[in-house]
Every structure is written in structure tokens, then in C-alpha cells.
Amino acid sequence: MDRESQKIGAWTLAMPLLLVAIAIIAMLAYREVPIRQQMERAYTALQRSAEEQADLLRSEFEEQQLLLTACAKSFSNVGNADWGPLYERLNDFSRVTCFYRLGLLDASGTGYSNSGIRVDESASAFFKESMAGHSIILKESTAASQDRFVLSVPIYRDGKVVGVLYGSLEEQNFNKLLAASLYGDTAYAFICDGSGEIISGSGMGPGFLSSGNVLTCLSSETLDKGFYTDNLAADLENSSAGHTAYTLDGQRQYSVYLPVGINDWMLFRVLFTASVEAEAGELVRSGNLILTVMGLASILVLVVFYMINARSRRWLENEQEQLRLSDARFRIALENSHVSIWDYDFATHSIIQAEHSLALHGDDRVILNVPHSLVAGGIVHPESAKEFVEMYHILQSGEKQAEGVFRIRRGDSGYWYQHIRYKTIYDAHGKPYRAIGMAEDVTERYEAARQYQKELNQLSDLAQRDQLTGLLNRSALEKEITARLETAIPDTLNAMYLIDLDGFKKVNDELGHQRGDRTLSEISQAIRGVFRTGDLVGRLGGDEFIVFLTVSGTPDLIESRANELCNALQFVYTGGDGPIHVTASIGVAICTGSGHTFAELYADADKSLYRAKEEGRNRYILSADPVSGTFEESLSAEHTNAIPLKTLLEYMDGGILMCEMSREIHVLYASPSFYTCICHDHIPPENKEQMLLSMIYPEDRPGLISALFKGAADGSVVDFVYRTTTCCGEQRGWHHLRAVRIPDANCENPIMLGVVTDITELMAGREELKKSNERLHFAFEQSGLILWEADPSSRKIRFWLRENEQAADTELERIIRNALQHRDEDERLHTFFDGLYCGRREEDEGMFFRQENDMFVRFRLAYRLLRDDMGNAVSVIGVAEPVCEVTKPMHAD
């Protein structure tokens, strides 16, 4: 055989062997590398799925806990005695939550569920923790029911825990969340605590179910090489994420675990590696088959190789389809939970959006310069902008999480309330580089909770008010006084005024209870007008009232207020048998600082009131201060030279008005004569400021308000004339206000005291006088008369000038004016004016002559004397009228 043939034969023999060797090497490489890569992909997908499922579980529990917290706040202002009627409202809350049971417990651990059943949870762990001020999520097993997850929050009142609100979730509902995004039968999930005790799970293997503890099931013998139980126990104790591989019940498994963010719970996602290893065994058997037919042609080896490669591709595509389905399940779960998720990059300050978050931030997949671009673009409402930017500052500082409720614009739908939460992700060096953002629409719950809180506040306010007078009732008053006594500043004086009306029973007996109710309303307004806005004023019942105030310094103001109160409560009514006088007896108790109780102060005030009744009524008595030892002092309205102010203020022509000048005008007191002055019987207290301002003519209203605020600011006297209107907006009449600022060291805002006078008739008289003057001036302009006025005291004469007239337009008028001004030169004129100035005649007239140069004038003079109400002459009105005029020169013969 030639060398060429040998070479071809060698290549012919070597080629199949080379191909077989290549096939064996490729099979060995294919058996290890692709399987390892596929396992790494499965592990990565398992890790990502575990993180997403932990966020889903945490958001679900936090959503329910947020609802419980909002519910608990609605009960914080309601006393325990008033909880009974509110238990039925728990059913309303249960409709917007996933809880199958809601319960409200008092401090003893007993209460009612939303179904009205009496419950006793005093021995429950969640009750003890929540009473200590903690919000709790735990799993609890009871003999009467299945395992349940309990969420509980404390109820605060005045900074103290007074009860617990809790909700129960069925474990099967919780397991459904764990079952989300599982790989069918190839994976399962469960949750354990920091000690490894299994809390709940979905599709758990029999090994974990039987032992109930992760650390008990796993040991050094079951864990793969490189994994140790001590490391796993340390990770569980420190809530650190990690992974492990082990063999359990004859099955090799791979677990990824990470903290849920609730208590010390850890989420385990477990994947059976049997499916991957089965594929590996399939490859090994295929390789052995190929080795047994090594003698076959290289084409067969290549065909087998290509067949195996195609099969592997199909297997990979199937696994990728499973992962795609898993992601789809997770997206569906997010859509059903109304939650949007995105990424925030710390380095670029940008948001990378997923499909379901585009509606929240806009249509751009990547948003730069966050959060300022979202604020500047109007995505974030201006009222939420500051808190929104602060949340990102918290993230940038390295905090693990940040959250808040903000008003976010959603397309053209306006602004919605979004609960946004961020969880920070750290790199291997512990530096934050990324954050997972999640938003949930809480608009409906936020609005419902706010409306419900508003209704509760209204009901609470109504429950604290006396229906007749609008003052605080006894229970609310006692509560407020007790709170102020407990927090009183040392060296401050606290005073309680106990007021009992004298003669009020006679009003009810003779004038009827309807008039008596009106009297109580008037008295309550009078009491309220004496004291400051921040002082507590209430009605104990019947004709008894109580006032509580706190002052600094000496008790002079306390005594001054008692004196003012005694004078203000002076009422006179006309009865069938004569006038009915209603006054007040007042007992005042004083204490210093804190350390006193409502009962002690009330008892002291009651003793002083009894003394005032014994000493003749219509007076006040100051009790001794137990700290300073101030002696008792009694003073009656007669000793203070008081007059029946009620009668005076009711029947005086002008009205008295007292206003506190804060941001707005607040009417402290208006006398009964004030309402008579403005032609209105009564104005309800709740809208008297608006009513009084609306009765001022619109064009005069700004000027009056400006004048009052100017007088309050600089202490100047306010003199203002304004018009009033009817309810239809028509002008009613004219009023004059004169107001001054009065000193009140205990009021932080200036007080203006004013007198309002009805000057409608005066203005009408002025208008009529103006018209008369206009008519007189018109007649004067049209006549040829010379009008003059004389002052009897100074004997000065003033002439009326016509329009554009400087002195006398004609020589004739000039001569007559000179004659009147130089009357002493003419004897007859002198006699005429002497009679005028002596007041002998009320009126007179005469004919006179006057020659000046070549002019001779004959004229008539007439006057009328004007007197005041006392009969004194105050002015003289006169006329001068030329009778004839001679212009020829006259010569003496």
C-alpha cells in the first residue's frame, strides 16, 4: 500500500475515532455545563420569586395592619363606657378587610367581636403585647378554632393604651399567598420564626411537617458539603438571607430563605432538584449508549448528538415557559392586589418602571432626577411635595425602608392617595445601591376613614355639649378640668366658679318654662361674654353653671372676673305680679399648680356658694387657697355699686358690642339693646359674626373691618358711620360705631369695646336740611336780595355770596353793604341794630336811605332772631332789598 493510501486509511480510521472522541467529550461537557447553568438559572429565578413573594406577604399584612390602625384611631376619642354602641361598626370595617373576625377589647381583655359575640382574650399573647403599646402579627392555635393569624393594634387615649383592636385571618387564606408563583409539584414554600419553628406552609414535605422545626429536620448528615446547621441557625437568628442544599426523605432539595419583614419570620422557597437530576441521568444513559456503539459510523454519533441537543433545547424551553408562567402568576397577583412595583437606582436617581407602574409615574420607562422631576411635573400634589422629597432623603441616607401616603396624579383622573413604600437593597459591602418601590391606591380607604373620623368628631362634640345652651356638659367639663389640673404649671392659679341663679324658679312659675329656657340661653351668653375664649364654661344642670380658668400672678384677675360676672348676671323680667329679678350667687375655689382633683375644687366652690346663699345671695365668695392660705372674701353686687346692667343694656338707646380681634373678628358680647338697635331680636351664637357682618352694607363693610383692625393695632379711637341692610340686601338705615381698645393682660388678642347708635333719623334730618339749603341757595341765586347773618354776641355781620361772586357785583350792592357794615354813621341804622342786638323784638323791618359820592340809595331791611332751646339768641338772619335808585347828582341849595 502506497503512502498516500496509508494516509487515507489512517484518516479513515482516525476520523470515526476522532468524531467518537469529540462526541464523548461533548457528551461529558454537555452533561455538566448545561445542567449547571440550568440549575443556576433555576436558583436565580427561585431567589427572585422568594423576594417578590416576601414583598407580597409583607404588603398584604401591612395593608391589613394599616386598616386596623385607622380603625383604632377612630375609637381613641370615645370613652370605654361608650364603646357598646360602636361594636356594630366593626362589621363595616370587616367588609373592606380580609379578616374573618374583628374584635374590640378593653383593658381587661374582654370585649365583643364584629358578630356581637362576647370574647375574652386576656390570656392571649397578642393582647398582652398590644397593651404594652406594640402592633402585633402572630399565629395562634386555639382548641375552639383552627389555626389563625392575628393582627392587633393598641388603642390610645391621652397617650395611654386603653384597649386593643384585633383581626383574625384564616391560615388557609395565608397559605394561598404562599402558594402563589410555585412551580407546581417541583417546589413548595413555608415560613418559620427565628428559632426555626415552622409557622405555616404550602405543600410542605412530610419531613418538615412531622418535626415542625427546620433545624431539627436538617443536620450535618443531611446538608450538602459546604452547608452547616450552625450557619443556618445564625442566619435565622439574625434574620439574614441565604441558601442551602440538603437531602430530606430521600429527596435532594435546594432552599432559598430571606426575612419577610414581619416579626422574625423567614420565608423558605424550596425546589426539588430531582427533575434536573433526572435529566442528568437521562444524559448519562444516552452517553453510555453511545459508548457501546462506538464502532458505529460517525454520522450516527452526530445524529445522536443532534437528537440529544434538540431534546435539551426543548427541555430548556419548557423550563423557560414554566418561569414565564410563574412571572405571569406573580403579575396577576399584583394586579389583583392593586399594587405597583418598580426599581429606584441610587446612583442615577432614576426610576425603572415595570408595565404595571406606568400609570402611576407616567409613560416613560425610565424617569430621571427623581423625586424633583415628579414634583416639578405635577405628578405629586404640592401639599405632598415636602414629605415626598423627604422620603427619598431618608432612602439616600441608607435607611432600610421608607414610606408615606401622598397625593399622586393618575393621568387625567386627578389626584389619588397612594401609599408608597420602599425597601432598600444593599451590595456585598453594605452600601445601598437599589430600592424596590411599591405603591398601593388607598384613596377609598383614606377618604372613608377621614369621613368616618369627621362624623365621630361631630358625634363626640355633640355628646359633650348641653343641648339648650351649647355649653360643655358635666361629664365633658369634669374631663377637661381634670386634664388641666394634672398638667398645670407650678405657681399658676386655677379658679373654679360655681354659679347658682337666684330667682330663676319664679321665671319658670310665672312666665313659663319656654321663657325660662330662653333665660338660661341669655345667661349662658352673658357668662361666656365675661370670660376668655380659652376658659372652660359649662352647665351642670338646671340653673347651675361652672367656669374654670388658669391665670399667672396674683388672684386679682380671678376676683375681677367674679365681680364682672356678678354684675353681668343682673336680669329683670316683667311678670304677672310685678318685676322678677334674677341674679346669681357665686362660689369661687382657688388652687395653685397641679396635684388637685376636680372633686376637691368642686367641694370648696360649693362651700363658698353655700356661704353666698346664706349671706343674702347676689354676691360672690372667694374660698381659701389650700396652698397659699388666702382668706375668704365676700362681696355682693350692692357693695360694688352695681346697677341692674341687664336692664340698662336692654333699654339704652345705643348697643354695646365687645369683639376679640384675632385673624377674624370674634364677637364676645352683644347687649340686648344692640339687637334692638339693629332691628333684630336675636342672632344664634354659632353664626353671629357672619350674620352681623352680612347686615352691613357691602360697600361700607371693608372700611368698617379695616377701621376696627387699625384701632386694635395702634389704639386709636374708631369713629365710623355705616349703612345697614335688610335680609334682602336693601338699605335699612344708618348707624354710628365708636370703639376703643380696652386693656386685657390675660387675652393674647386685642379687645375692642364699641357703642353702636342708630342715626337713621339724624341722617334723614341732615338730608332734609341739605335739601332745604339747596332750595334756599337756589332761590337766593335767582333773586336780587342781599342776605346777611349777624352774631348777637360779637355783632359781626356775614354776607352770603352768590356763585363766582367776590364782593358786590354792582355799585348798588356795594353801597348797601357799606351801610350795614358802617351803621354807626347813620342814626336810624344804629337804632335799628341796637334793637336787634338787645333782643327786644323777634323780628323787625324798616326803610333806610344811604348817600355815597353821587349815588343816593333807598333800601329795605328785615330780620328774624333765632333762639336755642334755652331761649338764648344765637343768630340773626336778615335781608336787604333796594327800593329805588337815584343816579342824578344832588346839590345843596
Side-chain angles (χ1 to χ4, degrees):
M1 182 180 296
D2 58 1
R3 183 174 296 178
E4 188 67 22
S5 297
Q6 292 177 353
K7 186 182 292 185
I8 292 174
W11 278 106
T12 302
L13 180 62
M15 185 58 67
L17 294 176
L18 179 62
L19 291 176
V20 170
I22 292 174
I24 294 173
I25 294 172
M27 181 59 65
L28 293 174
Y30 180 77
R31 184 176 61 181
E32 294 295 330
V33 176
I35 293 176
R36 186 171 63 252
Q37 292 177 349
Q38 181 58 26
M39 289 295 293
E40 290 175 356
R41 294 191 190 99
Y43 295 160
T44 302
L46 189 66
Q47 176 71 30
R48 184 173 63 254
S49 178
E51 294 174 354
E52 294 170 347
Q53 192 173 39
D55 289 337
L56 180 61
L57 289 172
R58 183 170 55 258
S59 66
E60 182 66 22
F61 275 99
E62 290 176 352
E63 176 185 356
Q64 302 305 319
Q65 193 171 38
L66 181 63
L67 287 174
L68 279 181
T69 302
C71 297
K73 289 182 179 179
S74 67
F75 292 100
S76 62
N77 292 330
V78 181
N80 292 15
D82 299 328
W83 280 4
L86 298 178
Y87 284 121
E88 59 186 24
R89 297 182 180 269
L90 293 176
N91 278 324
D92 296 334
F93 290 123
S94 66
R95 296 190 184 99
V96 295
T97 64
C98 298
F99 299 111
Y100 75 91
R101 174 184 291 175
L102 287 169
L104 184 62
L105 306 175
D106 57 19
S108 65
T110 60
Y112 289 89
S113 68
N114 60 315
S115 59
I117 300 175
R118 183 76 175 181
V119 295
D120 185 356
E121 299 288 355
S122 57
S124 300
F126 73 85
F127 169 74
K128 297 176 180 178
E129 290 291 331
S130 292
M131 284 303 294
H134 306 297
S135 296
I136 295 299
I137 302 174
L138 55 79
K139 180 183 178 183
E140 192 175 67
S141 299
T142 60
S145 61
Q146 298 179 349
D147 293 350
R148 61 177 180 172
F149 284 86
V150 179
L151 282 74
S152 66
V153 296
I155 301 175
Y156 288 92
R157 185 182 304 118
D158 298 332
K160 297 181 180 179
V161 179
V162 296
V164 173
L165 180 66
Y166 75 93
S168 301
L169 290 173
E170 293 182 351
E171 186 177 10
Q172 59 183 1
N173 293 334
F174 182 78
N175 291 340
K176 290 179 181 178
L177 296 176
L178 288 176
S181 304
L182 292 178
Y183 298 93
D185 297 331
T186 65
Y188 62 92
F190 64 91
I191 288 180
C192 69
D193 59 17
S195 63
E197 291 292 329
I198 296 177
I199 298 173
S200 183
S202 175
M204 287 193 300
F208 287 112
L209 284 176
S210 59
S211 66
N213 190 289
V214 177
L215 300 177
T216 304
C217 292
L218 301 180
S219 61
S220 301
E221 290 75 19
T222 58
L223 291 172
D224 287 1
K225 185 177 181 181
F227 297 94
Y228 304 95
T229 56
D230 292 341
N231 295 340
L232 177 60
D235 287 345
L236 294 180
E237 183 178 358
N238 299 323
S239 297
S240 301
H243 61 91
T244 183
Y246 53 85
T247 301
L248 190 63
D249 294 335
Q251 295 180 321
R252 192 167 177 272
Q253 304 174 15
Y254 183 82
S255 294
V256 173
Y257 54 87
L258 73 164
V260 180
I262 301 173
N263 300 330
D264 59 345
W265 293 358
M266 300 290 290
L267 172 66
F268 277 75
R269 294 277 293 187
V270 183
L271 175 68
F272 292 100
T273 60
S275 59
V276 180
E277 293 176 352
E279 291 295 333
E282 192 75 21
L283 293 175
V284 171
R285 286 192 294 272
S286 299
N288 292 333
L289 180 61
I290 293 174
L291 291 176
T292 59
V293 293
M294 292 178 60
L296 297 177
S298 59
I299 300 299
L300 181 61
V301 175
L302 293 175
V303 169
V304 172
F305 174 78
Y306 284 121
M307 290 176 62
I308 295 173
N309 190 36
R311 185 174 181 179
S312 297
R313 282 199 303 272
R314 289 194 298 273
W315 180 80
L316 289 175
E317 290 175 356
N318 182 61
E319 288 294 319
Q320 290 174 353
E321 179 65 16
Q322 291 294 329
L323 290 175
R324 188 186 67 79
L325 291 175
S326 175
D327 291 338
R329 294 189 191 100
F330 179 69
R331 285 196 299 271
I332 292 173
L334 288 178
E335 292 172 359
N336 292 333
S337 63
H338 306 288
V339 174
S340 300
I341 294 181
W342 64 90
D343 291 350
Y344 173 72
D345 192 293
F346 280 73
T348 61
H349 301 283
S350 60
I351 284 179
I352 300 95
Q353 297 197 91
E355 187 69 30
H356 47 268
S357 68
L358 290 175
L360 184 65
H361 297 110
D363 297 332
D364 297 332
R365 292 283 180 178
V366 178
I367 302 176
L368 302 176
N369 193 25
V370 176
H372 301 290
S373 61
L374 297 178
V375 174
I379 301 297
V380 180
H381 194 277
E383 71 180 23
S384 299
K386 182 178 180 181
E387 292 78 7
F388 188 77
V389 173
E390 181 64 25
M391 178 179 66
Y392 283 88
H393 288 167
I394 294 174
L395 280 178
Q396 292 289 345
S397 67
E399 293 292 333
K400 293 183 179 179
Q401 57 188 12
E403 63 178 319
V405 177
F406 313 101
R407 293 188 66 185
I408 306 296
R409 189 179 67 196
R410 295 187 63 179
D412 298 330
S413 303
Y415 287 93
W416 298 51
Y417 287 96
Q418 298 287 336
H419 183 199
I420 298 178
R421 288 169 285 185
Y422 271 107
K423 178 64 180 295
T424 305
I425 300 175
Y426 303 88
D427 58 17
H429 303 288
K431 182 179 180 181
Y433 72 96
R434 212 171 187 84
I436 304 298
M438 180 168 56
E440 180 184 8
D441 182 10
V442 295
T443 303
E444 184 176 350
R445 294 198 301 270
Y446 187 86
E447 294 292 346
R450 187 168 64 176
Q451 180 62 27
Y452 183 74
Q453 184 63 42
K454 180 179 178 182
E455 293 176 357
L456 282 181
N457 292 339
Q458 292 175 349
L459 290 175
S460 177
D461 185 66
L462 288 175
Q464 295 178 3
R465 294 288 174 180
D466 176 61
Q467 294 183 356
L468 178 61
T469 62
L471 302 178
L472 294 174
N473 58 30
R474 184 187 184 99
S475 60
L477 197 64
E478 182 174 352
K479 177 182 176 182
E480 290 292 334
I481 292 176
T482 300
R484 293 197 181 187
L485 287 173
E486 290 176 352
T487 58
I489 301 174
D491 299 330
T492 58
L493 296 177
N494 305 308
M496 178 184 289
Y497 299 76
L498 195 57
I499 306 164
D500 186 80
L501 301 182
D502 307 322
F504 176 72
K505 184 177 182 300
K506 200 172 182 181
V507 175
N508 279 335
D509 294 342
E510 296 188 13
L511 303 182
H513 288 277
Q514 186 174 5
R515 188 64 185 91
D517 291 344
R518 288 180 57 191
T519 300
L520 290 176
S521 298
E522 293 172 356
I523 289 172
S524 66
Q525 292 184 33
I527 297 174
R528 181 74 272 180
V530 171
F531 293 93
R532 301 166 298 183
T533 305
D535 297 335
L536 298 177
V537 181
R539 181 188 176 202
L540 295 178
D543 59 351
E544 292 187 353
F545 298 83
I546 193 169
V547 180
F548 180 86
L549 60 82
T550 300
V551 297
S552 301
T554 63
D556 294 341
L557 177 64
I558 298 175
E559 183 177 356
S560 173
R561 287 288 187 266
N563 188 21
E564 293 177 26
L565 186 60
C566 202
N567 290 334
L569 300 182
Q570 304 284 330
F571 292 80
V572 179
Y573 300 97
T574 303
D577 298 332
I580 302 174
H581 295 269
V582 177
T583 58
S585 297
I586 306 169
V588 186
I590 305 174
C591 67
T592 305
S594 59
H596 306 276
T597 66
F598 174 85
E600 293 172 352
L601 211 58
Y602 181 84
D604 290 343
D606 189 52
K607 292 178 182 178
S608 299
L609 175 62
Y610 182 76
R611 285 276 310 280
K613 290 283 187 180
E614 281 187 333
E615 294 183 10
R617 306 172 184 266
N618 190 20
R619 67 189 62 240
Y620 65 88
I621 290 183
L622 301 179
S623 69
D625 183 354
V627 175
S628 63
T630 305
F631 58 86
E632 293 187 353
E633 182 175 355
S634 171
L635 198 61
S636 67
E638 291 80 2
H639 292 165
T640 61
N641 295 323
I643 61 174
L645 289 179
K646 175 65 179 178
T647 303
L648 174 63
L649 296 178
E650 185 172 0
Y651 293 105
M652 67 181 295
D653 289 337
I656 303 297
L657 192 65
M658 183 181 293
C659 301
E660 180 181 358
M661 310 299 293
S662 56
R663 285 188 174 182
E664 298 179 350
I665 299 176
H666 176 60
V667 177
L668 299 178
Y669 174 74
S671 67
S673 59
F674 173 78
Y675 297 109
T676 304
C677 179
I678 63 174
C679 301
H680 203 292
D681 294 337
H682 179 65
I683 295 178
E686 59 271 11
N687 61 350
K688 57 186 176 183
E689 289 86 0
Q690 293 78 3
M691 285 289 293
L692 291 176
L693 290 176
S694 66
M695 295 175 68
I696 300 173
Y697 202 72
E699 296 180 1
D700 299 340
R701 194 179 304 155
L704 176 59
I705 295 175
S706 176
L708 284 174
F709 275 105
K710 182 178 182 301
D714 57 20
S716 60
V717 178
V718 176
D719 271 301
F720 196 86
V721 176
Y722 62 94
R723 292 165 288 179
T724 57
T725 63
T726 63
C727 59
C728 301
E730 300 177 354
Q731 181 174 339
R732 182 199 301 271
W734 292 82
H735 287 78
H736 171 259
L737 171 66
R738 181 176 178 85
V740 296
R741 186 179 67 188
I742 60 175
D744 191 341
N746 293 279
C747 186
E748 58 184 15
N749 298 314
I751 303 297
M752 296 295 291
L753 178 64
V755 178
V756 177
T757 308
D758 187 351
I759 60 171
T760 304
E761 294 183 2
L762 176 61
M763 294 299 291
R766 287 182 179 177
E767 187 67 23
E768 188 62 33
L769 180 60
K770 179 180 178 183
K771 293 179 180 179
S772 298
N773 287 334
E774 290 178 353
R775 289 193 292 268
L776 179 60
H777 275 281
F778 178 76
F780 172 63
E781 293 287 341
Q782 303 300 318
S783 70
L785 298 175
I786 299 175
L787 269 68
W788 50 275
E789 293 183 33
D791 183 3
S793 60
S794 64
R795 299 194 175 191
K796 291 183 179 180
I797 296 178
R798 182 177 67 87
F799 294 94
W800 285 27
L801 297 178
R802 292 179 176 86
E803 187 176 0
N804 299 323
E805 184 181 17
Q806 297 297 325
D809 289 342
T810 65
E811 185 68 17
L812 176 63
E813 292 181 2
R814 185 186 63 78
I815 294 174
I816 296 175
R817 291 174 188 268
N818 288 338
L820 296 178
Q821 290 174 343
H822 302 88
R823 56 187 177 273
D824 292 341
E825 299 176 1
D826 191 309
E827 184 177 352
R828 294 185 65 236
L829 282 175
H830 180 77
T831 303
F832 178 83
F833 276 94
D834 276 348
L836 181 153
Y837 290 133
C838 292
R840 288 193 297 268
R841 302 184 64 178
E842 296 295 320
E843 57 185 40
D844 195 5
E845 65 175 281
M847 301 295 294
F848 301 93
F849 298 92
R850 179 74 173 181
Q851 179 180 358
E852 185 175 331
N853 297 328
D854 295 335
M855 182 73 69
F856 181 79
V857 177
R858 183 170 176 260
F859 57 91
R860 184 179 68 87
L861 292 180
Y863 73 85
R864 175 170 293 177
L865 190 63
L866 303 181
R867 298 182 183 275
D868 59 14
D869 295 338
M870 303 299 294
N872 300 318
V874 293
S875 182
V876 176
I877 302 296
V879 297
E881 178 184 15
V883 176
C884 64
E885 182 177 335
V886 179
T887 59
K888 292 174 63 176
M890 300 187 65
H891 302 279
D893 293 336

